[in-house]
Structures are given as C-alpha cells and as structure tokens.
Amino acid sequence: MDVVFVHGALVRDGAWWWRATAELLRERTGVDSRAVALPSCGETTPEEADGGLVADAAALRRELDGLESAIVVGHSYGGTVIAEAGHHPAVSSLVSISSYLPDVGTRQGAILSDEPDPVTVVEAGVGRVGLAGHDATTFGARFLQDTDRETQEQAWSRVTAQAVGAFATPTSRAGWQDVDSTYLVCTDDRSTSVGLQRFHAARATRSVDLDTGHHPFISRPDLVVRELEAVIRRATEG
C-alpha cells in the first residue's frame, strides 16, 4: 500500500507541502508516500506545463502505473486532477481535503466562480495565471492562519504561476465515481467555503470535519494521519 499526494493550485514543490503528514504517516504506519509533480505548476518541463489539467492528470497516472495499491489524496485543485486522471487499477481509495469531486465537463474556474470571496488570479505571462493581491502576510492569513509565521513565509515562497489550462479545461472523466472516498471538511477554511466543501463532500462515501484552515496536512498532520490510518485499515481489511 502506498499513498500518493496531489497538491493544490498555484504552488510548487509538492513534497514540501505534504512533508509533515508524510513523515508522520511513515512513522506511525510504515506506509510510503510520494507527491505528484504537477506540470501545470512548472514542476516538470515547460512543454508539459502547456498541457494544463490534462498534463497534470497524466502525471498522476504515471505515478500510479508503478504501484499495486494506492490511496490517492487530493487537496483543493488536486481533486480535479484526480477526476481527470480517471479510474486506475491501482487506486483503492481516495481522500479529498477541502477539495472537489467534479462532474464530467466541469472547469476548475467555474467551480470557484460562485464562491463568496474567490481567489483572484491575473495573467502572469503567456498562457499563465498567478495569484493576485497577496504578500506573505495576507497569504498566510487566508490560507495558513493556523500555522506559524515561518511556515507561512516558506509557503509563500512556493507560490507560483500556473498554466491557464488547469482552470479552463473541462474534465473529461470523473475518476472519483464508484471509488471508496473520504472527504475532510476544513471547517475554519478561509479560502474554500464550507458550503462548497459540503457540496462536494456529499458525493464522497463519507466525510469528516476537521477544525482547521485550508492546509491541515501542514497545521495538523496528526488529524490527517488519523484519517489516513482509518482509510488504510479499511483498504487492507476489506
């Protein structure tokens, strides 16, 4: 059993974002994990980046191709990547963290457009968009208010532009359908509204509330690992 992590939009260095949870998971369970490098966030090659969502989904499938059994964990935009990746024989369970379980034909940008306080993005080069109106302080207050200042600054240093295709491409598959899934609702999230989270959580097999901000795998890895342990038990005993 392996765990595969898929990070959210407009950031790079997936291994950093998931490190606290990955290390605690290894310590408690012995389960190995890996973080997918998303092309649209510039984590692979410039040529792949232009592929947007489609390239990100292909990157996830490549990670899964070498595994026998995996739990895939998607954060925020990561859920849309999971959907577009479709069904893969290695996937035993899905975990969504403040994320999305979109229908076929859904654009990431459309998911966010009805939010009461949507994140603002602006053009950041040809075919790229970037986060607007933030610095380390305001980014930390919105996305990581339940972490310390140093962590917020490290996170801010990893904010990046992303291919517009990650937001504008409609999904062609719904890889979350007919797969055991757990949704972690972050009830103190200042980025994704609890209402939007609960809409998508209703599509999962089960949901669990966490009293955290948008990144519980950084602020409360113990809570995330607790739920991953439960998923691993179900996957191995069932």
Side-chain angles (χ1 to χ4, degrees), residues 8-68:
L10 299 168
V11 298
R12 59 175 177 79
D13 192 6
W16 179 86
W17 294 88
W18 296 104
R19 181 172 298 129
T21 290
E23 290 178 352
L24 186 58
L25 179 68
R26 175 69 179 176
E27 176 186 322
R28 288 190 180 178
T29 68
V31 170
D32 290 321
S33 64
R34 62 193 70 192
V36 178
L38 296 183
S40 72
C41 294
E43 294 184 297
T44 55
T45 67
E47 294 76 20
E48 278 196 309
D50 291 336
L53 174 63
V54 174
D56 291 343
L60 172 56
R61 289 195 296 271
R62 285 196 300 271
E63 287 288 349
L64 293 169
D65 284 345
L67 303 177
E68 287 188 12

Side-chain angles (χ1 to χ4, degrees), residues 63-80:
E63 287 288 349
L64 293 169
D65 284 345
L67 303 177
E68 287 188 12
S69 181
I71 295 166
V72 182
V73 183
H75 175 241
S76 197
Y77 165 73
T80 303

Side-chain angles (χ1 to χ4, degrees), residues 110-121:
I111 293 174
L112 303 176
S113 63
D114 291 331
E115 282 280 73
D117 183 21
V119 172
T120 301
V121 296

Side-chain angles (χ1 to χ4, degrees), residues 116-138:
D117 183 21
V119 172
T120 301
V121 296
V122 296
E123 185 177 347
V126 178
R128 304 285 186 273
V129 293
L131 189 65
H134 283 290
D135 56 20
T137 298
T138 59

Side-chain angles (χ1 to χ4, degrees), residues 224-237:
V224 176
V225 170
R226 181 189 69 191
E227 300 308 324
L228 287 174
E229 287 175 318
V231 174
I232 291 167
R233 282 194 301 272
R234 283 191 291 266
T236 55
E237 294 172 0

Side-chain angles (χ1 to χ4, degrees), residues 77-97:
Y77 165 73
T80 303
V81 175
I82 290 170
E84 181 60 21
H87 294 93
H88 191 286
V91 175
S92 64
S93 299
L94 301 174
V95 177
S96 301
I97 304 176

